[in-house]
Amino acid sequence: MINKNRVKISDILSSDWLDKEAFVYGWIRTSRFSKNVCFIELNDGSSFKSLQLVIDMQSISIDESKMQTGTCISAKGLIVKSPGADQSCEMQVSEVKIVGLADETYPIQKKRHSLEFLREIPHLRCKTNTFFATFKVRSKLAKAVHDYFQDRNFLYIHSPIITLNDCEGGSEAFQITTLNLKEVKEKGLDYSADFFKRPAYLTVSGQLEAEPFALTHGAVYTFGPTFRADPSDTPRHAAEFWMIEPEMAFYDLDDLLELIEDFIKNITRKIKDNCQSELEFFKNFIEPELDNRYAVLLDHKFERIDFAEAIEILKQADRKFEVEPKWGEDLTMEHERYLVDEHFKKPVFITNYPENFKSFYMRINEDGKSVACVDLLVPGIGEIISGSQREERYDFLEKRMLAKGMEKSLYEWYLQTRLWGSAPHAGFGLGFERMIMYLTGMKNVKDVIPYPRAARKIY
Ligand code: 4AD
Ligand code: MG
């Protein structure tokens, strides 16, 4: 056992340790020296708040140059009431030892570093307040997601990472191979020598594989990594990100919207209740309007509009958009931002998009030109969710696949779910990182995932 007397800093800060001795481990966040006293902010990972250590350098000899940001120490001392306004208690140190030194070459110093600089050192940025708080919210949000679905008896299904199909059809899938590319260049491409003897990809979405399970267990969800070789390097696009994809039998589009709103409000409330210190930090240093973000999401019903209504609102707007909004063409980022940030200023569901640029699996509406789908847009981010009622009618699905030029043989198994015991069903996908961005105010998807991967950049 490392030291049976070790106390976690969270315990000292949250319970009554006054006038008791404690022994702690931790890393120095900051240190400052004034006259003969050394003040250290010590963090052991157990709480966002650090414990202040006060070392009287007249009775304890320490080497100032070693007591710097990043160094790991152990300390023993009495917990006393703190005269400072920032903390309720502090440790009067009687013994201190260096466990692991971080010398002056340690890249993270007391001063504030830019997020771009920190992105280059993901193995070290996690030690800063900003990332400590971000990954705490990420972890709590993952628990909230699982709790939401598990409490409602959804089956958690692990959809495969390696697939043969491209669910979203945008040819954004990473192909995987064991072929030696140098040999391919010399001898030509021969799939019979490849691992699967056919082209294989990293999944862009677990939806197609989740659907048969929804048509068995009634309600299921996936929560796992997905991959997109999207060449655009934007603050909202990562090459590797996590998605949550629930899929429910006997659901239509209205049922789906009800579930999405309840789910998003539920997980947001959990973060508001369970991450108070972290949210206080984000409000002070990252996004001053954070409280308002929670209020517009939690206190009102989400707005619901049809794609056709969205186009009307954009046409009436007193501004010229780079791309003129029109039926039959997708909304641009600029259109979305106008609708959600300027017009509604709260979460908006946009439903029933034109079928021509939407995925093959979405259920065609009676008008024959739109599909029963939804995008959820939120202020400051834009799209966080896409979902739809699925086309459960074999003939309609087959027709749409062929019209989109898809290779039917790859989707025979998917079509079969409509051949035997088909049923109306619906589902959606939430981008986990985008939700974290909304809840923390962080502005770049690369800053809410521990080790970001994006076009031309692997950190
Ligand atoms: O809109 P998408 O492409 O929808 C699907 O994949 C459906 N199969 C979901 C379903 O119905 N089960 O992706 C869903 C969400 C987006 O709304 C966005 O939040 C996120 O995934 N997303 C990304 N997040 C980060 N980086 C990227 N490159 C992303 N692409 C999509
Ligand atoms: Mg989408």
Side-chain angles (χ1 to χ4, degrees), residues 190-203:
D190 173 15
Y191 277 117
S192 68
D194 201 356
F195 191 83
F196 295 110
K197 301 199 184 306
R198 57 197 294 184
Y201 307 90
L202 294 179
T203 185

Side-chain angles (χ1 to χ4, degrees), residues 167-168 172 204-208 226-228 230 236-247 358-359 361-362 375-376 383-388 390 427-435 445:
C167 167
E168 291 307 306
E172 287 181 349
V204 297
S205 157
Q207 175 201 322
L208 301 189
T226 46
F227 307 85
R228 305 243 171 135
D230 185 341
R236 305 191 312 159
H237 290 92
E240 177 179 310
F241 62 100
W242 283 58
M243 221 197 304
I244 295 131
E245 296 188 274
E247 194 69 35
K358 284 293 192 186
S359 301
Y361 52 73
M362 296 181 176
D375 270 12
L376 175 64
E383 176 194 329
I384 59 166
I385 279 179
S386 282
S388 74
R390 315 307 188 192
F428 69 87
L430 167 68
F432 189 51
E433 285 73 21
R434 298 218 183 144
M435 190 69 207
V445 66

